Amino acid sequence: MSKIISGFSKLTKQEKIDWLSKNYFSSQPEIIQTLKQYWNADEKLQQLHDDFIENTISNFYLPYGVAPNFVINGNHYVIPMVVEESSVVAAASLVAKFWSTRGGFKTEVISTTKIGQVHFMYQGNADDLKRYFNQQKENLFNATASITKNMEKRGGGILDIKLVDKTDKLDNYYQLHVTFETKDSMGANFINSCLEAIAKAFRKEGVEIVMSILSNYVPNCLVRAEVSCKIEELGGENPQQFAEKFRQAVQIAEIEPYRAVTHNKGIMNGIDAVVLATGNDFRAIEAGAHAYASRNGSYSSLTHCEIKNGLFRFWIEIPLAIGTVGGLTALHPMAKLSLDMLQNPSAPELMQIIATAGLAQNFAALRALTTSGIQEGHMKMHLMNILNQLQANREEKELMVAYFKDKTVSHSAVVEKFNELKK
Ligand code: MEV
């Protein structure tokens, strides 16, 4: 039987599920019930989610948690986080509280420029092309007038259009490299619409447009977040030793790509969770962050640490092209709620909050890694997942959590103790 189907998107939701069930789950009729279990009882709300993408057949839950006690530039925040990894929200909360009594997080937006490019081929004379571009430049701006009108009212728009000769890298390859200010929107649709209008206006014989698309590499849409305190304020038994070991951990991530990738992954645990909670595009953020981490030719840490004159400083610099208007931000009720929780920030304010979440996450990871190791805390948080897998009831969970309070959690130890309890 062929499993290739035409016109699948035209089927009703029920027909899609029936087709899936018949073709891929013939011995598991219960999947229909599982899929339906996750439908929202409010039909209007479900329809909203159905319409986000094509072929929606159900919803996929991720936990929505909050990390309180963040102090950023003197303002207090509870940060919403959407993430499945057990220890992320706990770590963020712990670190937020820690720094709240040490001056909090200090942040600044360094720049907010976004980029898009029209990629094209031209076989003729480069000087002729330059002349043509200079003649056309004003027309290119004019060609986007109807698109940029509203954005200009909000203080944004196209900042510049440059012709770039890339023929030394690829025969006949040129670009129109366009810089944008998109204010509180991420601006992906705005940028792509402008680029397509520019490409159309730039067409002439000999100019072969290949594609017009924004770049997710945004090194000039950059934010910085920092924490600092006197070394003795770091607390613990030996704060000097802690600070030095912590700095060594950062230095290792600065020069060793294998470590840097994991180090930055930990940062993205915090960043993505807030990006998701606020309805932003985490794939764009991931791609841009990792490209930035490699900007000097070798993949490196996004955070840095300094110990100078008795002061410990730890900071992150990361490009974040996000929005607080447009996209899903107003459409998804939970994204809207997240932005309300954050006191309806502008895009630059949200950049600072997100960078803070990334820095906090990295601080938590490095503090654990350079002291007790991460498994202790991680497995404690993971205990509940194991208990759920074992289908423990509430009473069993309470007993198990109490039992493992002062013991090492491992999958086998939990299973063994659980079986003992069951007897
Ligand atoms: C786990 O999700 C993240 C860490 O591995 C990050 C790190 O090693 O820095 C703990």
Side-chain angles (χ1 to χ4, degrees):
M1 180 182 60
S2 166
K3 289 183 181 179
I4 302 297
I5 177 168
S6 301
F8 184 72
S9 67
K10 308 252 166 19
L11 301 181
T12 65
K13 200 196 273 190
Q14 186 61 54
E15 287 167 342
K16 282 173 189 149
I17 291 176
D18 289 345
W19 181 87
L20 193 68
S21 172
K22 190 167 142 225
N23 287 280
Y24 286 89
F25 293 94
S26 51
S27 59
Q28 290 166 265
E30 69 278 9
I31 70 113
I32 297 179
Q33 186 46 33
T34 306
L35 288 169
K36 289 189 174 174
Q37 209 173 21
Y38 285 89
W39 287 5
N40 199 294
D42 177 340
E43 276 180 30
K44 235 172 110 191
L45 189 64
Q46 186 54 56
Q47 190 61 49
L48 177 77
H49 288 266
D50 288 355
D51 291 344
F52 285 154
I53 60 167
E54 191 160 274
N55 299 341
T56 309
I57 55 169
S58 190
N59 306 302
F60 188 96
Y61 286 178
L62 280 178
Y64 181 91
V66 290
N69 297 325
F70 273 95
V71 179
I72 306 174
N73 299 336
N75 300 314
H76 292 235
Y77 293 94
V78 179
I79 300 190
M81 303 179 95
V82 172
V83 63
E84 88 300 345
E85 193 173 322
S86 345
S87 52
V88 171
V89 178
S93 308
L94 217 63
V95 169
K97 185 101 177 277
F98 178 87
W99 284 105
S100 70
T101 56
R102 290 163 178 81
F105 292 80
K106 305 274 170 1
T107 61
E108 63 169 324
V109 168
I110 297 167
S111 50
T112 57
T113 305
K114 287 157 190 165
I115 289 163
Q117 297 170 319
V118 176
H119 305 270
F120 68 96
M121 299 292 168
Y122 181 73
Q123 297 201 14
N125 178 289
D127 288 331
D128 289 346
L129 184 67
K130 253 181 245 163
R131 249 191 310 277
Y132 172 67
F133 170 73
N134 288 331
Q135 276 164 11
Q136 284 296 308
K137 193 165 171 178
E138 204 174 314
N139 275 349
L140 301 182
F141 277 96
N142 293 341
T144 63
S146 63
I147 310 165
T148 54
K149 202 167 138 213
N150 278 338
M151 186 61 85
E152 280 169 8
K153 275 194 210 142
R154 286 158 42 200
I158 300 176
L159 303 177
D160 197 12
I161 309 177
K162 282 197 169 73
L163 172 69
V164 183
D165 184 337
K166 288 271 179 182
T167 53
D168 59 330
K169 295 259 169 35
L170 180 66
D171 283 349
N172 311 320
Y173 172 38
Y174 294 85
Q175 307 165 342
L176 297 179
H177 184 91
V178 190
T179 43
F180 297 88
E181 169 56 59
T182 62
K183 302 307 280 184
D184 285 338
S185 62
M186 185 215 176
N189 281 331
F190 169 75
I191 293 174
N192 289 333
S193 300
C194 286
L195 292 170
E196 287 187 8
I198 290 170
K200 201 166 158 203
F202 195 65
R203 274 214 172 100
K204 72 160 188 143
E205 217 185 303
V207 170
E208 226 182 287
I209 306 286
V210 179
M211 59 190 161
S212 310
I213 186 75
L214 93 172
S215 171
N216 289 121
Y217 184 43
V218 281
N220 291 319
C221 186
L222 200 63
V223 59
R224 180 190 162 94
E226 175 177 318
V227 284
S228 67
C229 69
K230 289 194 188 125
I231 290 182
E232 63 264 26
E233 288 170 0
L234 284 168
E237 271 171 31
N238 191 338
Q240 181 71 35
Q241 191 189 47
F242 167 77
E244 279 167 20
K245 220 167 161 193
F246 189 100
R247 183 180 56 177
Q248 282 162 358
V250 176
Q251 285 170 334
I252 289 169
E254 283 170 339
I255 57 104
E256 164 56 50
Y258 279 99
R259 173 54 203 154
V261 172
T262 318
H263 177 98
N264 289 345
K265 186 274 181 188
I267 293 171
M268 300 317 282
N269 279 344
I271 302 259
D272 283 345
V274 191
V275 169
L276 267 168
T278 55
N280 275 286
D281 179 346
F282 64 94
R283 288 87 57 212
I285 295 300
E286 283 280 343
H290 297 299
Y292 188 73
S294 329
R295 71 194 178 286
N296 296 323
S298 167
Y299 190 90
S300 177
S301 169
L302 289 163
T303 55
H304 307 282
C305 181
E306 184 186 82
I307 300 172
K308 208 169 158 189
N309 303 328
L311 202 69
F312 170 87
R313 274 195 331 121
F314 177 50
W315 70 96
I316 185 169
E317 249 181 44
I318 184 168
L320 292 175
I322 48 89
T324 55
V325 299
L328 278 199
T329 53
L331 212 53
H332 194 303
M334 292 302 286
K336 190 171 175 317
L337 190 148
S338 296
L339 291 169
D340 283 345
M341 193 185 303
L342 295 171
Q343 301 150 50
N344 290 309
S346 64
E349 282 163 351
L350 184 58
M351 287 166 75
Q352 295 171 76
I353 294 166
I354 295 174
T356 297
L359 186 69
Q361 210 62 46
N362 191 221
F363 184 83
L366 296 185
R367 184 168 67 170
L369 285 167
T370 56
T371 55
S372 57
I374 59 155
Q375 280 314 88
E376 192 186 293
H378 195 78
M379 288 310 286
K380 279 247 146 62
M381 296 297 304
H382 193 56
L383 174 60
M384 203 45 75
N385 288 343
I386 303 174
L387 291 173
N388 280 331
Q389 259 172 24
L390 296 170
Q391 301 185 338
N393 62 30
R394 186 200 289 245
E395 194 191 343
E396 288 162 348
K397 281 179 186 169
E398 277 170 13
L399 286 168
M400 292 290 282
V401 169
Y403 176 80
F404 277 100
K405 208 168 173 61
D406 54 359
K407 295 182 186 60
T408 306
V409 176
S410 72
H411 195 272
S412 57
V414 175
V415 173
E416 196 178 316
K417 183 67 198 168
F418 185 68
N419 288 338
E420 211 176 280
L421 194 76
K422 281 290 215 193
K423 276 186 210 152

